[in-house]
Amino acid sequence: MADVTTTEINHSEHAPHVHITPMWIYLTVFFALAVGTVLTVAASRFDLGMWNTPIALVIATIKAVLVILFFMHVIHSPRLTWVVVIASFLWLGVLFVLMFADYLTRAWNIY
Amino acid sequence: MMLSDFPLWPEQASTVAPGVDALMTFMCIVCGGVSVLTFFVIFILAIKYRRTSENQLAQDYEPPKALEAAWIIIPFLIFMFMFVWGSWLYFRIQRVPENAIDIYATGKQWMWKFQHASGQREINTLHVPVGRPIRITMASEDVIHSLFFPAFRVKSDVLPNRYKTMWFQATKTGRFHIFCAEYCGTQHSGMIGWVEVMEPVDYQKWLAGGAEGSLASQGEKLFQKYACNTCHTNDATGRGPVLLGLYGTTVTLSNNATVTADENYIRESILNPQAKIVKGFAPVMPTFQGQVSEDDLLKLVSYVHSLGTQKTAVVPVETPSSKDTSAGSPLKPGAGIPPQKDKGATP
Amino acid sequence: MSSLTLHDVRFVEPEATRNYITQDYGALSWLFTKDHKRIAILYLISITALFILGGFFAVVMRIELLTPEGDLLTSDTYNKFFTLHGIIMIFFFLIPSIPAVLGNFLLPLMLGAKDLAFPKINLLSWYLYIIAAVMGLYIIITGGVDTGWTFYTPFSTQFSNTHVFGVTFAAFIVGFSSILTGLNFLVTIHRMRAPGLTWFRLPLFVWAMYATSIVQLLATPVLAITLVMLMFERVVHVGIFDPALGGDPLLFQHMFWFYSHPAVYIMILPAMGVASEVVAAFTRKKIFGYQFVAYSSLAIAFLGFLVWAHHMFVAGISVYSAMIFSFLSYFVAVPSAIKVFNWTATLYRASVSLMTPMLYILGFIGLFTIGGVTGLFLAAIGLDVHVTDTYFVVAHFHYVMVGGAVMAYMAGLHYWWPKITGRMYPEWWARLAALLVFAGFNLTFFPQFVLGYLGMPRRYHAYAPEFQVLNVMSTAGASVLAVGYALPLCYLLWSLWYGRPAGPNPWGAVGLEWTTASPPPMENFHETPVVTWDAYDYPAMMKAMGETQNV
Amino acid sequence: MSEVTLGGPPPAPQVEEHHEHHPFLQHHFEDLGQQHEASTLGMWMFLSTEILFFGGVLAAYWIYRVMYPEAWAIGAAQQIWWLGAINTIVLIISSLTMALAVRNAQMGRRMGTVYMLIATLFFGTIFLGVKMYEYTKHWQEGLFPGAAFTFQWPQNPALVPKIELFMTFYWCLTGLHALHMVIGAGLLIWFIWRSWKGHFGPEYYGPVEIMGLYWHFVDIVWIFLFPFLYLIHGAHHG
Ligand code: HEA
Ligand code: HEA
Ligand code: CUA
Ligand SMILES: [Cu+2]
């Protein structure tokens, strides 16, 4: 488990911990997201062969990670929040990987 | 009741059956053994360390922790052995021998239609030769069914819009059950039949039509001889109603009266078709009065009877393929999902 | 320390004059309660009603199956009965049973908390449950549904003309009830533990509920979205799962089992938690290999997500993925084995008392083992080809679900009944019922293994005559079973008025829930407890409790 | 999800008071810190279920996308990509304003929070407006699956059912997303009212933070939906 400690229960502070993210971080992230959107559109205008889909996916993932880390404050959150976020995507990954394992091998011959 | 009414082990009638039974025996011994051992230990301990006084506490003793490792590793190894055996058997069940005879099967609410390569069609009965591998290529016309031969220890789901194959090689002659094992609606439990395993010579004779079959199977010949099958096809394409599953159902007539399709009604329908016109059909069926002998009539009636009691509506359900512009027929192979292996011919 | 006897532990706190039952009166004080104990009682009443309803369908089915012909019911009615039986028992009885009743009641008590983290959400989840149940009942009255509890397409989307939409919608709603319960438990366990109550001091029931909640949280949404797609397909006639329109019916099965296989662990993990509690209490011993048992719950929760397609071995998945799923299915059996062996080892040099809860739990261990090992038969792909969709599977899952989960639920209900109601149940009647349930259960479902291997398919309204003898045995067993379940219904009700007052700790067990009054007061503890001992540490705990008493 | 914000006695906003008497501290929590941690953790767990909820449809979407790449490209070509792009930007802006609303609440700037929430609501509404425009257009073009689907593809009529399948996913995904937006907008209105009342401040900003988590999540979903539904590259544009 991520937090096997007792300190977590014995709160020393009474009020929630406040971490105020500086303004420039928000603006930078916003700018990055906007650029990402433009890039996504731009990349889709060209025929990049098999690379169109991976590029779109990578950009979208980077954007999502930025939102999660900064807008959603995960970067300053307790380890448990990280665990929850990563676990969710891990579980979704299980669904994708094992399902595709079936579809992609259906046409294979039996030896 | 007699012991024969109370079987504990199914008949073994295919080449893979002993293999499946061997694995089953192994599983029963290992799992049964471990379970019984566990129960025995629990039983002994529960008696031996029974609480004798209200306030008695447990002794301050812990079994060695190494036990923990033992009962993680040993079961795991046993499990892996089961996995390997099971998969090996599965591949044996899946891998079709080269020289297999092809038979085509269609599942449909609620009947099995089989078609032999030489053109014979049959319903809910399947004739196969003993000692020859048989490959069945199959698809469903509506929902998912599952073709199950308990005596052969094989079954396979039958999917709409996609071909699947299964195979078996019978090892003894006789009659064995065919069941539909995937729930498919009202008459799921009536979607049953028999597989008749014959000597290859008899099978050849049967294929050639030379064999003296039952009344019904002779009726089937007559059905072709009198060209009934030109109008009464197995799907809704003919000019006459589908007779599959007719027997025993309630038929609505053109005057909205209803009548139960029993032997008499069938007989009358053959001899005097205009007497009762089925709703939704034109009165185009010719009379066979004077052309069919009583003998033959009986065979015809018993054939129609044998088509079973599976159908609920007189007008067959449309297959849900009307919108499928790409496949045309719902049975077109490869429409949709890549088939496991291209098996070529269509039923 | 050695001068202390268990009698010292028996009376820890004076009986509270006002407890959660007597705090307020009137129906509204119950319907709008936010107290976790009251919500547990609401759940107890509702799931008992639905269990009886599901049992009614089962009994009628069994009577129908006395003869090979379909004579008592029409085919359509029979099909509706097993569908409703399956849906009610799984979604409306077994999934909420231990978590929503015992978990709700006990979790805050075991954690030394005043309530769950989100009391209003807890109440909301009961309301969702009730809304779904009422929808279900309405549908039963107006015609039922006949798809089987698995809702396989294309039958459910195109062919069935029963209330598929309504039932899937009800299942969708009850799914959210389950998600909210799981979420509430997870947050409570993480954030509301009493001072000193570290992870490895938690009772194993809490570990089990923790693992269960993870599964509820991460599996149920996939069922929800699958049902949404099914409903959309049925209403708008699109082709997500319709082969004629390019869809793939196997996709539905994949997504359905992505939830429904983990769901079987939603049912068995809490049962395993109850088993650990009861074994510890009735052997007065720390569960052997505590940490292994705790971690095995998490292992089951995780590995349980990797095996779903073992329900589809003959459905048309690729042979290679069938192999992968078979392989992984054996992995999930390892942690289950760990638990069974550790419970057994705990009995060694213990102080074993065979009171009713322990009887049920010994039954649970035995029957779960049989159910579990027959799961190994099914996971062997070559063998599954023969036994899938036969009564062998029916026997397997009743062994794990009824022999396993329901037995454990009965054990837990008896074990904590004094805590919940403040009254003892009549011990001898309870033992008799436990034995009847055990005997009736085996007679009902053991013959079904044989039937399945002989080849009798499941969901069969009429069957081949040679299967009759075994079916008659099974029906006979079911009637014993019904009596076995009817008895507790009577004597537990009786005990509410006439039962002997229990006192805070009738079993001489350790655990925070036994340190407060029975029934517990409104906020559980007069003072937030401080935990300085490990779970099931009898000597330490007795010392601590003795000190409390001496104060 | 917003459990914390539901409860408590009627507000009596004040500047300094001991934590145990804070009007929004619920009886079963020890202190505001514990309450805050519990509610954000609860929200994150709720978002896990949301991830798997949307993930379920996306898994199905990808299976068919791999099966029918051509139909998917044609389907995506039926979308007006620049409307999608505008909506993406609009949603990103709303995410920024949402984040700033949380920041203002943390810093105890009451009106700042209110203005930023109003801005978020404003951009959310624009998004929904554009979406409605697209929906009507699709409906008129016969791009709604089922009986209403009249779309033709003369180049290869066999692809029409698969294009319909694409559109099914389009409607499912964007529909679920829009539903989340509508719920979010409703919550925003309520939050605007509450912030205006001055319920939130440095020691009690949890609910705004939670609202923000929800809103950002909905944004993330769209970040994926935009390329998945509007920008599939295929060689067969009509
Ligand atoms: C509580 C519910 C529950 C539980 C816990 C399980 C547990 C398991 N199940 Fe079961 N299962 C169901 C409920 C459950 N199942 C249901 C409802 C269905 C049918 C659904 C439907 O179609 O309607 C089903 C169907 C089902 C199938 C599909 C059958 C088919 O349709 O063809 C399979 C196949 O692999 C399977 C396997 C397993 C396995 C490997 C386990 C394992 O987790 C079991 C692990 C436990 C043990 C193994 C016992 C303890 C171990 C020991 C004592 C070790 C010693 C043993 C040895 C060394 C041999 N189950
Ligand atoms: C938790 C889950 C659960 C539980 C507890 C049960 C309990 C029982 N089930 Fe269950 N069963 C399923 C889950 C469950 N089942 C599922 C998922 C299916 C598959 C459905 C499908 O195929 O879609 C199934 C299918 C199924 C079948 C197969 C149907 C078929 O395939 O054709 C049968 C047949 O015997 C059966 C029998 C029983 C019996 C006799 C009980 C008994 O244990 C019930 C005993 C309980 C009572 C009788 C009620 C309480 C009693 C009283 C209050 C006393 C008074 C009442 C009377 C005297 C009537 N069940
Ligand atoms: Cu066909 Cu069951
Ligand atoms: Cu399973």
Side-chain angles (χ1 to χ4, degrees):
Chain A
M1 274 336 296
D3 49 348
V4 194
T5 54
T6 43
T7 51
E8 177 202 329
I9 316 136
N10 301 323
H11 301 278
S12 44
E13 76 277 51
H14 300 308
H17 171 73
V18 189
H19 185 285
I20 295 168
T21 313
M23 200 63 187
W24 66 268
I25 292 194
Y26 284 127
L27 292 175
T28 314
V29 170
F30 169 74
F31 185 69
L33 293 175
V35 170
T37 310
V38 174
L39 277 181
T40 316
V41 174
S44 76
R45 301 279 95 194
F46 300 97
D47 187 352
L48 305 172
M50 62 164 294
W51 291 105
N52 278 92
T53 309
I55 287 179
L57 271 175
V58 167
I59 299 179
T61 309
I62 293 175
K63 285 166 72 181
V65 169
L66 286 177
V67 174
I68 290 175
L69 285 184
F70 297 103
F71 283 4
M72 297 169 95
H73 302 158
V74 166
I75 194 131
H76 303 298
S77 297
R79 211 147 38 117
L80 185 59
T81 312
W82 288 80
V83 173
V84 173
V85 177
I86 292 171
S88 320
F89 286 104
L90 190 78
W91 253 257
L92 189 58
V94 167
L95 176 65
F96 271 83
V97 168
L98 286 179
M99 211 147 92
F100 270 95
D102 170 22
Y103 282 87
L104 297 180
T105 58
R106 276 199 200 161
W108 291 10
N109 283 328
I110 304 170
Y111 297 103
Chain B
M1 283 205 199
M2 289 176 40
L3 203 62
S4 59
D5 292 339
F6 187 31
L8 290 172
W9 203 256
E11 232 172 316
Q12 270 184 357
S14 77
T15 47
V16 296
V20 176
D21 288 350
L23 179 53
M24 179 70 179
T25 313
F26 168 79
M27 296 294 293
C28 286
I29 291 173
V30 173
C31 294
V34 176
S35 307
V36 168
L37 196 73
T38 315
F39 303 161
F40 183 72
V41 172
I42 292 180
F43 191 74
I44 296 295
L45 293 180
I47 301 297
K48 179 136 187 267
Y49 299 107
R50 216 169 52 254
R51 188 177 298 172
T52 43
S53 82
E54 254 288 271
N55 290 321
Q56 183 189 325
L57 277 187
Q59 299 169 37
D60 202 7
Y61 169 82
E62 285 234 330
K65 280 271 186 283
L67 275 178
E68 208 72 65
W71 61 53
I72 293 174
I73 294 165
I74 296 172
F76 181 72
L77 294 178
I78 300 178
F79 294 161
M80 284 303 102
F81 189 74
M82 293 171 177
F83 160 69
V84 171
W85 191 339
S87 300
W88 171 81
L89 185 63
Y90 183 65
F91 274 71
R92 215 182 123 198
I93 292 171
Q94 295 290 323
R95 204 185 308 107
V96 187
E98 292 297 315
N99 56 343
I101 301 175
D102 271 313
I103 291 179
Y104 303 96
T106 314
K108 175 179 186 314
Q109 280 176 328
W110 292 278
M111 68 187 70
W112 292 109
K113 299 192 279 187
F114 298 103
Q115 192 181 319
H116 297 259
S118 53
Q120 263 82 355
R121 292 161 181 276
E122 43 185 341
I123 287 178
N124 291 344
T125 309
L126 172 63
H127 290 81
V128 295
V130 70
R132 292 287 309 275
I134 313 286
R135 174 174 64 191
I136 304 184
T137 305
M138 57 208 168
S140 160
E141 288 182 17
D142 35 49
V143 302
I144 302 176
H145 303 273
S146 188
L147 185 55
F148 179 25
F149 302 96
F152 302 157
R153 310 285 189 277
V154 288
K155 81 159 68 68
S156 169
D157 280 12
V158 182
L159 298 168
N161 215 14
R162 171 173 157 200
Y163 282 118
K164 278 193 71 189
T165 54
M166 70 194 289
W167 79 276
F168 57 81
Q169 176 172 340
T171 50
K172 63 173 157 183
T173 57
R175 262 176 121 227
F176 308 103
H177 281 295
I178 298 176
F179 292 130
C180 174
E182 181 64 61
Y183 175 67
C184 53
T186 309
Q187 284 296 333
H188 163 58
S189 64
M191 193 163 162
I192 57 179
W194 295 96
V195 50
E196 305 260 7
V197 182
M198 316 162 96
E199 289 299 339
V201 229
D202 295 338
Y203 177 67
Q204 284 312 323
K205 271 199 213 142
W206 179 84
L207 274 186
E212 275 275 292
S214 63
L215 270 191
S217 63
Q218 293 178 45
E220 189 179 3
K221 306 267 148 49
L222 293 174
F223 201 73
Q224 281 159 29
K225 177 176 155 208
Y226 292 111
C228 315
N229 56 352
T230 54
C231 298
H232 298 287
T233 51
N234 283 343
D235 46 45
T237 56
R239 276 187 288 170
V242 176
L243 301 183
L244 303 175
L246 167 69
Y247 183 80
T249 56
T250 310
V251 179
T252 310
L253 304 178
S254 55
N255 59 357
N256 281 330
T258 55
V259 52
T260 305
D262 55 9
E263 278 88 349
N264 268 323
Y265 169 75
I266 296 169
R267 183 191 160 96
E268 187 186 42
S269 294
I270 299 170
L271 298 179
N272 189 3
Q274 317 304 342
K276 297 188 173 106
I277 307 292
V278 182
K279 189 168 178 141
F281 288 90
V284 293
M285 174 164 165
T287 172
F288 288 85
Q289 188 103 48
Q291 300 177 36
V292 187
S293 68
E294 274 298 323
D295 240 6
D296 282 0
L297 196 56
L298 197 66
K299 291 173 183 167
L300 277 172
V301 171
S302 84
Y303 172 66
V304 175
H305 183 164
S306 77
L307 292 177
T309 55
Q310 292 91 347
K311 202 174 63 169
T312 43
V314 174
V315 183
V317 196
E318 286 254 331
T319 50
S321 58
S322 30
K323 288 181 95 177
D324 186 20
T325 42
S326 69
S329 143
L331 297 181
K332 184 163 176 272
I337 303 89
Q340 277 197 332
K341 196 176 179 184
D342 204 34
K343 294 298 179 205
T346 45
Chain C
M1 177 179 113
S2 53
S3 63
L4 278 166
T5 71
L6 279 163
H7 281 299
D8 300 323
V9 189
R10 292 286 154 87
F11 304 103
V12 184
E13 272 192 17
E15 285 297 309
T17 44
R18 300 237 278 169
N19 57 44
Y20 78 100
I21 300 175
T22 54
Q23 185 79 24
D24 273 311
Y25 292 96
L28 287 186
S29 79
W30 283 87
L31 288 180
F32 293 111
T33 181
K34 280 177 279 164
D35 180 57
H36 65 103
K37 300 182 284 304
R38 286 193 157 202
I39 295 172
I41 301 292
L42 293 176
Y43 263 116
L44 175 64
I45 296 167
S46 10
I47 71 160
T48 307
L50 281 147
F51 176 63
I52 293 173
L53 185 62
F56 165 78
F57 288 127
V59 168
V60 179
M61 267 185 334
R62 278 314 329 162
I63 296 173
E64 160 68 64
L65 293 173
L66 267 175
T67 56
E69 305 82 33
D71 32 23
L72 178 65
L73 309 169
T74 64
S75 300
D76 280 323
T77 315
Y78 182 84
N79 296 343
K80 286 175 183 169
F81 272 31
F82 70 68
T83 304
L84 294 168
H85 167 70
I87 292 175
I88 290 177
M89 285 300 199
I90 290 203
F91 293 116
F92 291 93
F93 168 65
L94 201 50
I95 288 183
S97 64
I98 299 180
V101 178
L102 299 176
N104 239 333
F105 197 96
L106 292 162
L107 213 58
L109 285 169
M110 289 181 166
L111 297 174
K114 290 182 187 145
D115 205 324
L116 290 176
F118 308 119
K120 278 184 209 139
I121 288 188
N122 198 17
L123 184 63
L124 174 66
S125 76
W126 181 71
Y127 273 105
L128 289 175
Y129 174 90
I130 287 296
I131 291 170
V134 169
M135 279 176 65
L137 290 181
Y138 174 78
I139 282 159
I140 292 172
I141 293 164
T142 56
V145 60
D146 70 347
T147 57
W149 83 280
T150 48
F151 306 117
Y152 274 15
T153 57
F155 183 74
S156 62
T157 45
Q158 315 230 346
F159 290 85
S160 173
N161 44 22
T162 53
H163 296 289
V164 182
F165 184 88
V167 166
T168 41
F169 195 48
F172 176 82
I173 293 177
V174 82
F176 279 96
S177 160
S178 174
I179 290 177
L180 293 181
T181 306
L183 190 154
N184 219 336
F185 286 4
L186 283 177
V187 175
T188 308
I189 296 171
H190 269 289
R191 293 283 178 244
M192 314 268 296
R193 278 171 284 139
L197 191 53
T198 55
W199 283 93
F200 288 107
R201 284 176 174 173
L202 288 175
L204 288 167
F205 181 73
V206 176
W207 274 99
M209 290 311 311
Y210 184 78
T212 309
S213 303
I214 294 179
V215 183
Q216 282 176 302
L217 196 73
L218 293 173
T220 320
V222 176
L223 175 75
I225 192 65
T226 310
L227 294 180
V228 168
M229 290 199 273
L230 191 153
M231 290 185 271
F232 192 57
E233 172 146 355
R234 211 177 144 83
V235 172
V236 187
H237 303 292
V238 297
I240 307 177
F241 306 120
D242 175 9
L245 296 177
D248 178 13
L250 289 191
L251 183 67
F252 175 83
Q253 298 182 18
H254 271 300
M255 298 187 64
F256 178 83
W257 289 114
F258 180 84
Y259 164 76
S260 290
H261 180 81
V264 310
Y265 299 113
I266 300 180
M267 308 179 223
I268 205 67
L269 279 168
M272 292 166 158
V274 172
S276 299
E277 293 304 307
V278 170
V279 168
F282 290 89
T283 56
R284 298 224 169 111
K285 205 157 185 271
K286 182 167 178 154
I287 294 289
F288 177 64
Y290 168 93
Q291 294 210 6
F292 283 91
V293 179
Y295 277 132
S296 67
S297 290
L298 293 182
I300 291 176
F302 178 69
L303 294 172
F305 276 90
L306 308 180
V307 309
W308 75 80
H310 67 203
H311 296 271
M312 303 164 62
F313 284 154
V314 304
I317 58 174
S318 95
V319 288
Y320 296 98
S321 77
M323 238 175 83
I324 297 172
F325 279 105
S326 162
F327 181 65
L328 294 169
S329 298
Y330 284 105
F331 273 75
V332 80
V334 174
S336 308
I338 294 179
K339 288 188 193 263
V340 169
F341 293 135
N342 279 302
W343 293 321
T344 308
T346 307
L347 296 179
Y348 186 66
R349 297 208 186 168
S351 163
V352 183
S353 153
L354 295 180
M355 307 279 267
T356 310
M358 189 63 172
L359 285 184
Y360 272 115
I361 283 303
L362 292 182
F364 159 84
I365 298 177
L367 300 179
F368 169 72
T369 301
I370 298 178
V373 294
T374 50
L376 303 174
F377 288 52
L378 295 169
I381 343 178
L383 200 50
D384 187 62
V385 170
H386 176 58
V387 289
T388 183
D389 277 320
T390 67
Y391 264 80
F392 193 93
V393 177
V394 176
H396 157 68
F397 67 71
H398 283 91
Y399 261 84
V400 272
M401 296 201 298
V402 186
V406 180
M407 286 288 249
Y409 172 65
M410 296 299 284
L413 204 57
H414 283 83
Y415 178 51
W416 283 296
W417 188 256
K419 181 54 59 187
I420 297 174
T421 65
R423 304 277 183 168
M424 294 303 288
Y425 56 83
E427 181 65 26
W428 287 103
W429 280 105
R431 287 190 190 180
L432 176 68
L435 291 179
L436 278 181
V437 168
F438 185 79
F441 174 83
N442 281 297
L443 185 55
T444 312
F445 293 108
F446 201 82
Q448 295 185 357
F449 283 123
V450 184
L451 271 177
Y453 200 68
L454 286 174
M456 177 168 166
R458 61 192 283 207
R459 296 167 170 176
Y460 259 33
H461 169 230
Y463 54 87
E466 67 261 31
F467 300 138
Q468 187 174 8
V469 182
L470 288 159
N471 270 296
V472 171
M473 286 164 70
S474 182
T475 303
S479 44
V480 179
L481 192 53
V483 177
Y485 284 130
L487 275 181
L489 200 65
C490 304
Y491 66 70
L492 288 180
L493 277 176
W494 176 89
S495 79
L496 289 182
W497 286 273
Y498 306 105
R500 184 163 52 79
N505 189 0
W507 311 116
V510 296
L512 282 180
E513 79 267 31
W514 301 112
T515 63
T516 187
S518 313
M522 206 58 182
E523 294 206 323
N524 298 342
F525 301 95
H526 293 302
E527 238 173 70
T528 304
V530 178
V531 180
T532 54
W533 57 84
D534 284 355
Y536 319 119
D537 187 345
Y538 269 81
M541 181 78 176
M542 278 168 57
K543 184 155 171 271
M545 288 167 131
E547 275 160 9
T548 323
Q549 192 214 349
N550 296 338
V551 174
Chain D
M1 161 219 100
S2 47
E3 165 61 23
V4 178
T5 60
L6 290 167
Q14 71 295 96
V15 206
E16 270 291 48
E17 216 190 21
H18 191 256
H19 66 278
E20 258 158 13
H21 304 123
H22 191 281
F24 294 117
L25 175 65
Q26 290 180 310
H27 72 103
H28 61 289
F29 288 113
E30 294 292 325
D31 53 48
L32 279 173
Q34 190 191 29
Q35 174 168 323
H36 179 88
E37 282 178 7
S39 48
T40 39
L41 180 61
M43 188 62 200
W44 273 109
M45 288 185 172
F46 177 75
L47 293 184
S48 311
T49 71
E50 289 273 32
I51 289 173
L52 280 133
F53 189 74
F54 279 99
V57 217
L58 284 177
Y61 162 97
W62 274 101
I63 294 282
Y64 291 129
R65 176 163 171 173
V66 170
M67 254 183 226
Y68 312 124
E70 228 187 317
W72 249 238
I74 298 167
Q78 305 314 309
Q79 316 301 323
I80 304 168
W81 67 267
W82 53 269
L83 280 182
I86 288 178
N87 254 355
T88 312
I89 299 287
V90 165
L91 216 49
I92 291 174
I93 299 177
S94 81
S95 247
L96 176 69
T97 54
M98 186 70 233
L100 295 181
V102 178
R103 187 167 183 272
N104 282 331
Q106 287 174 330
M107 294 164 71
R109 299 180 185 158
R110 183 173 72 100
M111 284 320 281
T113 315
V114 173
Y115 291 143
M116 280 302 140
L117 288 176
I118 291 178
T120 311
L121 180 61
F122 173 76
F123 288 110
T125 317
I126 291 196
F127 178 93
L128 284 172
V130 173
K131 201 75 235 157
M132 278 325 290
Y133 170 75
E134 292 183 84
Y135 278 164
T136 11
K137 200 159 168 305
H138 290 325
W139 179 269
Q140 285 159 358
E141 288 169 359
L143 281 167
F144 187 81
F149 198 81
T150 53
F151 179 79
Q152 293 299 323
W153 188 254
Q155 291 91 321
N156 184 357
L159 283 179
V160 171
K162 278 87 194 184
I163 299 173
E164 186 181 348
L165 198 55
F166 171 86
M167 286 311 292
T168 307
F169 282 104
Y170 170 84
W171 284 88
C172 271
L173 285 164
T174 58
L176 283 174
H177 179 262
L179 181 70
H180 279 77
M181 291 286 294
V182 171
I183 294 172
L187 290 173
L188 276 174
I189 293 175
W190 183 48
F191 269 80
I192 292 169
W193 181 77
R194 285 198 65 187
S195 338
W196 186 73
K197 286 284 215 171
H199 290 185
F200 308 120
E203 81 279 32
Y204 185 64
Y205 65 92
V208 190
E209 164 116 4
I210 286 174
M211 172 75 228
L213 292 180
Y214 177 85
W215 194 262
H216 297 309
F217 170 80
V218 178
D219 183 22
I220 292 176
V221 171
W222 185 258
I223 286 179
F224 284 104
L225 292 192
F226 172 53
F228 287 4
L229 296 173
Y230 290 77
L231 302 175
I232 302 173
H233 198 93
H236 306 271
H237 292 281

